[in-house]
Amino acid sequence: LVDVGEVVRSAIERAGKAFPGQPVTTSLARDLPYMRCDANLLEQVLFNLLDNAQKYGGGGRAIVHARPEGASVLVSVTDEGPGIKPADLERVFEKFYRGGRADGRRAGTGLGLSISRGLIEAMGGKIWAESPAVKRRGARIVVSMPAVEAREIAKAAS
């Protein structure tokens, strides 16, 4: 059972060491349910998303948001960059696909989102891209993982 808030904080701390100039804002809903997944793999996915926000976000802040929705927990990372073209919203998850950085240069190896999708789907979740995200700009990558019901937590504790 994974505490989403702890994983988010750990990923942000790691990103802060790797990208000390990137501001990150968090918005975590109160009473987030636990998720059944691998905490280390989820942290790696969130780090990959923060890495993308740093590369493609145009120097703006990254926003990490987590909230319950139905039987799932949604965790998203949003940047304030130029966004992703509608035709590329699915392509960004292909191996070796690289979009242009905010300054027009290509960045990275094009594997981060492909690996992230593989990890999330292997843990029973979904991941997708949305753009524009905020004020007709930016990109948002959303991870949806099944929430653990309270009775499952009680059963695991006994």
Side-chain angles (χ1 to χ4, degrees):
L1 301 179
V2 174
D3 180 331
V4 181
E6 286 181 20
V7 174
V8 166
R9 285 185 281 281
S10 182
I12 290 171
E13 182 179 321
R14 183 174 160 205
K17 292 175 185 173
F19 324 114
Q22 180 190 30
V24 178
T25 302
T26 60
S27 172
L28 305 179
R30 295 180 193 263
D31 301 324
L32 277 170
Y34 283 82
M35 298 186 309
R36 186 175 308 282
C37 65
D38 184 292
N40 292 323
L41 295 180
L42 181 60
E43 180 187 333
Q44 181 61 51
V45 168
L46 294 177
F47 177 81
N48 288 354
L49 301 184
L50 289 165
D51 178 45
N52 273 13
Q54 188 271 331
K55 288 176 185 168
Y56 301 105
R61 70 188 167 125
I63 304 159
V64 180
H65 182 76
R67 66 183 170 85
E69 183 171 293
S72 299
V73 177
L74 301 184
V75 182
S76 63
V77 176
T78 304
D79 68 49
E80 297 177 326
I84 301 169
K85 296 174 189 166
D88 292 341
L89 288 172
E90 190 58 33
R91 289 192 65 210
V92 297
F93 295 100
E94 294 175 6
K95 287 182 185 175
F96 307 115
Y97 178 81
R98 299 183 309 160
R101 289 175 19 158
D103 61 8
R105 298 182 306 175
R106 295 207 180 264
T109 60
L111 290 172
L113 289 178
S114 175
I115 290 169
S116 294
R117 175 168 272 175
L119 294 174
I120 292 300
E121 289 179 351
M123 293 187 289
K126 297 177 184 172
I127 184 170
W128 65 89
E130 299 174 347
S131 186
V134 179
K135 297 180 183 175
R136 292 185 280 185
R137 291 186 52 81
R140 175 179 298 121
I141 308 296
V142 183
V143 172
S144 174
M145 295 295 295
V148 176
E149 295 182 29
R151 67 176 182 252
E152 287 184 70
I153 295 170
K155 186 178 178 181
S158 59

